[in-house]
Amino acid sequence: QVQLVESGGGLVQPGGSLRLSCAASGSAFSGNGMGWYRQAPGKERELVAGISSGGITNYADSVKGRFTISRDNAKNTVYLQMNSLKPEDTAVYYCNKAPIIVRRAYWGQGTQVTVSF
């Protein structure tokens, strides 16, 4: 079974940046699409960025132009560079395969991102 460990979250002021990392194990990482998901209190968990096994990316409209997803297959790691952060980006961020059925997936602990003064 795939194990997913997210890191890099924290407290940042609006306009600041963070870089999240996701270390994956237990699967053929290079052969799978991967994504970053987030869930804010009272909200549905949503896909914010995805990257295919071939490196094709897609983004939710809310983060397009501000976030960049990338992957390092040699390290079995997916990254999310988050720039120009807004308070509405505050959420727990998770990585997982993409596409995925969110309600049926196994999730790691995620990493908390808080954008606030």
Side-chain angles (χ1 to χ4, degrees), residues 70-83:
S70 61
R71 64 192 296 163
D72 186 338
N73 290 340
K75 296 181 179 179
N76 286 3
T77 301
V78 185
Y79 305 96
L80 186 67
Q81 179 66 47
M82 310 165 68
N83 298 327

Side-chain angles (χ1 to χ4, degrees), residues 7 16 68 72-73 112 114:
S7 62
T68 303
D72 186 338
N73 290 340
Q112 176 72 49
T114 302

Side-chain angles (χ1 to χ4, degrees), residues 22-97:
C22 171
S25 64
S27 70
F29 177 86
S30 63
N32 291 296
M34 296 292 294
W36 283 96
Y37 304 76
R38 70 184 181 188
Q39 187 167 25
K43 303 293 185 180
E44 299 281 353
R45 190 167 299 185
E46 62 175 351
L47 177 69
V48 298
I51 184 166
S52 74
S53 60
I56 306 300
T57 60
N58 63 280
Y59 301 91
D61 288 342
S62 59
V63 308
K64 194 171 297 181
R66 300 187 297 117
F67 291 8
T68 303
I69 187 171
S70 61
R71 64 192 296 163
D72 186 338
N73 290 340
K75 296 181 179 179
N76 286 3
T77 301
V78 185
Y79 305 96
L80 186 67
Q81 179 66 47
M82 310 165 68
N83 298 327
S84 302
L85 283 161
K86 304 175 180 180
E88 51 262 46
D89 295 319
T90 296
V92 179
Y93 284 71
Y94 305 85
C95 66
N96 216 317
K97 294 181 179 180

